[in-house]
Structures are given as C-alpha cells and as structure tokens.
Amino acid sequence: MSNRPGGATATGTVPRARTQESTTSLVTEKGTTSIDDGVVAKIAGLAAREVSGVYAMGGGAARALGSVRGIVGGDRNVSQGVSVEVGERQAAVDLDLVAEYGTAIPDLAAAVRKNVIGAVERMCGLEVTEVNIRVDDVHLPDQDRDRDRGSDGQRGDAQPEPRVQ
C-alpha cells in the first residue's frame, strides 16, 4: 500500500493534482475553501529554496532589503522573489532566484519547477498551470570571502593596527 496521492509511481514523478478530488475538497455543498495568494507564495518559496543550487530568492533590490531586514533582527521573508496568481482551482507561480555558480541552470529550473508544483498541489489541492523561473544572478564563491573582508582587504572583525605606538 502506498501513501502517495493520486497514484504517483515509485519512479519519483511528481503527483499531479487530482482535479475531481481537489474540486470536491475545496468546493463542497457545505461551503468553499479559498487559499490566499500569500499562502501559496510561502509554500512555493520554501519549496524553491529546498533545491540545491538555489542561493537566494528575489531581484537585487528585494535581496538588499531582505539583508537589511536580517541585520536589524527582522524575520526572513520566505515569499521574497515569489509572485503567484491563485484562482478557484488553479495557481500560476513566478520565481526570481539566484543560482550558485557551477549549477546547470536548465537542470536547476527543472528541479525547482518539479518541487514547487509538487508542494503546491499536495498542500493546497490546486492545479499548478505554470511555474515561470527567472534567474537574476549567479552567486560566485568569492563573494562570500569579499563580504567578510573590508574595503582595505582586512577581515571585517580584525582590529586595525594602531597608527602610533
């Protein structure tokens, strides 16, 4: 007996939304269930971040704002870089992401797409009609080292030598 919904096979394919079952679970004679865009955006954002090779989410300005938010102790915005349109039975997702250098972008996009579709369809019961992915940047390994160093090449946490002894 399998715990996989919708007859997913053991080959690792993403289970598709069960249109008839999801229709009856979201719209019933006793009422309807609506899922807010923000809920779908959070699920999609978390699912995209789970994929190896995704360094960050969001465009340049959004990432900068997120960094500032993190510095001042604010919570990380898991829906950063995610835009969704949610209808009664379907959802469309747009993602902006930064890939790690060395990652094959077509393979990364396919893996992100598969993970996002699986998560949204499984958790929300919505059919995902499309997942559009825009790669905004590539994160270079040297960028981490440069961030730790000041503009003069010294580590940011190192004490400067006294000028007068």
Side-chain angles (χ1 to χ4, degrees), residues 36-47 49 57 78-80 82-84 86 93 95 120 124:
D36 189 65
D37 292 7
V39 172
V40 177
K42 282 185 179 182
I43 292 168
L46 288 170
R49 285 176 173 82
M57 301 281 296
V78 296
S79 60
Q80 176 179 307
V82 182
S83 174
V84 299
V86 179
V93 181
L95 302 171
V120 171
C124 300

Short mmCIF file of all heavy atoms in Angstrom, two decimals, residues 36-47 49 57 78-80 82-84 86 93 95 120 124:
data_model
loop_
_atom_site.label_atom_id
_atom_site.label_comp_id
_atom_site.label_asym_id
_atom_site.label_seq_id
_atom_site.Cartn_x
_atom_site.Cartn_y
_atom_site.Cartn_z
N ASP A 36 -5.39 31.85 0.15
CA ASP A 36 -4.86 33.18 -0.15
C ASP A 36 -3.57 33.08 -0.96
O ASP A 36 -2.81 32.12 -0.82
CB ASP A 36 -4.61 33.92 1.17
CG ASP A 36 -4.28 35.37 0.95
OD1 ASP A 36 -5.16 36.10 0.46
OD2 ASP A 36 -3.13 35.77 1.24
N ASP A 37 -3.32 34.09 -1.78
CA ASP A 37 -2.10 34.14 -2.58
C ASP A 37 -0.85 34.03 -1.72
O ASP A 37 0.12 33.39 -2.09
CB ASP A 37 -2.04 35.45 -3.37
CG ASP A 37 -3.09 35.54 -4.46
OD1 ASP A 37 -3.96 34.65 -4.55
OD2 ASP A 37 -3.03 36.51 -5.24
N GLY A 38 -0.87 34.67 -0.54
CA GLY A 38 0.29 34.65 0.35
C GLY A 38 0.64 33.26 0.84
O GLY A 38 1.82 32.93 1.04
N VAL A 39 -0.37 32.43 1.05
CA VAL A 39 -0.13 31.05 1.49
C VAL A 39 0.58 30.28 0.39
O VAL A 39 1.58 29.60 0.63
CB VAL A 39 -1.47 30.37 1.87
CG1 VAL A 39 -1.27 28.89 2.16
CG2 VAL A 39 -2.10 31.07 3.06
N VAL A 40 0.09 30.39 -0.82
CA VAL A 40 0.70 29.70 -1.95
C VAL A 40 2.11 30.23 -2.19
O VAL A 40 3.04 29.47 -2.48
CB VAL A 40 -0.18 29.82 -3.21
CG1 VAL A 40 0.48 29.17 -4.41
CG2 VAL A 40 -1.55 29.20 -2.97
N ALA A 41 2.31 31.54 -2.03
CA ALA A 41 3.63 32.13 -2.24
C ALA A 41 4.64 31.60 -1.21
O ALA A 41 5.79 31.30 -1.56
CB ALA A 41 3.55 33.65 -2.16
N LYS A 42 4.22 31.45 0.05
CA LYS A 42 5.12 30.91 1.06
C LYS A 42 5.49 29.46 0.76
O LYS A 42 6.65 29.08 0.88
CB LYS A 42 4.48 31.00 2.45
CG LYS A 42 4.54 32.36 3.05
CD LYS A 42 4.00 32.34 4.47
CE LYS A 42 4.08 33.72 5.09
NZ LYS A 42 3.61 33.73 6.47
N ILE A 43 4.51 28.67 0.39
CA ILE A 43 4.77 27.27 0.08
C ILE A 43 5.72 27.17 -1.11
O ILE A 43 6.69 26.41 -1.09
CB ILE A 43 3.45 26.53 -0.19
CG1 ILE A 43 2.63 26.42 1.10
CG2 ILE A 43 3.70 25.14 -0.79
CD1 ILE A 43 1.20 25.97 0.91
N ALA A 44 5.47 27.96 -2.15
CA ALA A 44 6.33 27.94 -3.34
C ALA A 44 7.74 28.42 -3.01
O ALA A 44 8.73 27.85 -3.48
CB ALA A 44 5.72 28.79 -4.45
N GLY A 45 7.86 29.46 -2.19
CA GLY A 45 9.17 29.98 -1.81
C GLY A 45 9.99 28.98 -1.02
O GLY A 45 11.18 28.79 -1.27
N LEU A 46 9.35 28.32 -0.07
CA LEU A 46 10.06 27.31 0.71
C LEU A 46 10.46 26.12 -0.16
O LEU A 46 11.57 25.59 -0.03
CB LEU A 46 9.19 26.85 1.88
CG LEU A 46 9.03 27.87 3.01
CD1 LEU A 46 7.97 27.41 3.99
CD2 LEU A 46 10.35 28.10 3.71
N ALA A 47 9.57 25.70 -1.05
CA ALA A 47 9.87 24.57 -1.93
C ALA A 47 11.02 24.90 -2.87
O ALA A 47 11.87 24.05 -3.14
CB ALA A 47 8.62 24.17 -2.72
N ARG A 49 13.48 27.05 -2.30
CA ARG A 49 14.72 27.14 -1.51
C ARG A 49 15.26 25.76 -1.11
O ARG A 49 16.43 25.65 -0.79
CB ARG A 49 14.48 27.98 -0.26
CG ARG A 49 14.41 29.45 -0.54
CD ARG A 49 14.07 30.24 0.73
NE ARG A 49 14.15 31.67 0.52
CZ ARG A 49 13.18 32.40 -0.01
NH1 ARG A 49 12.06 31.83 -0.39
NH2 ARG A 49 13.33 33.70 -0.17
N MET A 57 16.62 34.12 -3.23
CA MET A 57 15.41 34.41 -3.99
C MET A 57 15.21 35.92 -4.04
O MET A 57 15.53 36.63 -3.10
CB MET A 57 14.20 33.76 -3.32
CG MET A 57 14.26 32.26 -3.17
SD MET A 57 13.89 31.38 -4.67
CE MET A 57 12.19 31.83 -4.91
N VAL A 78 9.93 34.50 3.51
CA VAL A 78 10.04 33.28 2.71
C VAL A 78 9.37 33.41 1.35
O VAL A 78 9.62 32.61 0.46
CB VAL A 78 9.50 32.03 3.45
CG1 VAL A 78 10.33 31.74 4.68
CG2 VAL A 78 8.04 32.20 3.81
N SER A 79 8.54 34.42 1.17
CA SER A 79 7.89 34.60 -0.13
C SER A 79 8.61 35.63 -0.98
O SER A 79 8.11 36.01 -2.04
CB SER A 79 6.42 34.96 0.05
OG SER A 79 6.28 36.15 0.78
N GLN A 80 9.80 36.07 -0.55
CA GLN A 80 10.60 37.01 -1.34
C GLN A 80 10.98 36.36 -2.66
O GLN A 80 11.43 35.23 -2.69
CB GLN A 80 11.86 37.39 -0.58
CG GLN A 80 12.80 38.29 -1.34
CD GLN A 80 14.01 38.65 -0.50
OE1 GLN A 80 13.85 39.13 0.61
NE2 GLN A 80 15.18 38.40 -1.03
N VAL A 82 8.84 35.61 -5.01
CA VAL A 82 7.74 34.76 -5.46
C VAL A 82 6.52 35.61 -5.75
O VAL A 82 6.13 36.45 -4.94
CB VAL A 82 7.37 33.69 -4.40
CG1 VAL A 82 6.26 32.78 -4.90
CG2 VAL A 82 8.58 32.88 -3.98
N SER A 83 5.92 35.40 -6.90
CA SER A 83 4.67 36.05 -7.26
C SER A 83 3.71 34.96 -7.72
O SER A 83 4.10 34.07 -8.48
CB SER A 83 4.93 37.05 -8.39
OG SER A 83 3.71 37.58 -8.86
N VAL A 84 2.48 34.98 -7.22
CA VAL A 84 1.52 33.95 -7.59
C VAL A 84 0.19 34.57 -7.99
O VAL A 84 -0.15 35.68 -7.59
CB VAL A 84 1.27 32.95 -6.43
CG1 VAL A 84 2.54 32.23 -6.05
CG2 VAL A 84 0.68 33.62 -5.23
N VAL A 86 -3.70 33.04 -7.88
CA VAL A 86 -4.47 31.90 -7.42
C VAL A 86 -5.92 32.07 -7.83
O VAL A 86 -6.53 33.11 -7.56
CB VAL A 86 -4.38 31.73 -5.88
CG1 VAL A 86 -5.20 30.56 -5.41
CG2 VAL A 86 -2.92 31.57 -5.46
N VAL A 93 2.73 30.38 -10.80
CA VAL A 93 3.81 30.85 -9.93
C VAL A 93 4.92 31.45 -10.78
O VAL A 93 5.31 30.88 -11.80
CB VAL A 93 4.37 29.68 -9.08
CG1 VAL A 93 5.47 30.17 -8.16
CG2 VAL A 93 3.26 28.99 -8.29
N LEU A 95 8.90 32.91 -10.21
CA LEU A 95 10.00 32.92 -9.24
C LEU A 95 11.19 33.70 -9.79
O LEU A 95 11.53 33.57 -10.96
CB LEU A 95 10.47 31.48 -8.96
CG LEU A 95 9.44 30.50 -8.42
CD1 LEU A 95 10.00 29.09 -8.41
CD2 LEU A 95 9.02 30.90 -7.02
N VAL A 120 2.89 22.67 -3.93
CA VAL A 120 1.64 23.44 -4.00
C VAL A 120 0.46 22.51 -4.27
O VAL A 120 -0.59 22.64 -3.63
CB VAL A 120 1.74 24.56 -5.08
CG1 VAL A 120 0.39 25.21 -5.31
CG2 VAL A 120 2.77 25.60 -4.67
N CYS A 124 -2.07 22.32 -1.20
CA CYS A 124 -3.23 23.19 -1.45
C CYS A 124 -4.34 22.52 -2.24
O CYS A 124 -5.47 23.01 -2.24
CB CYS A 124 -2.79 24.45 -2.19
SG CYS A 124 -1.58 25.42 -1.29
#
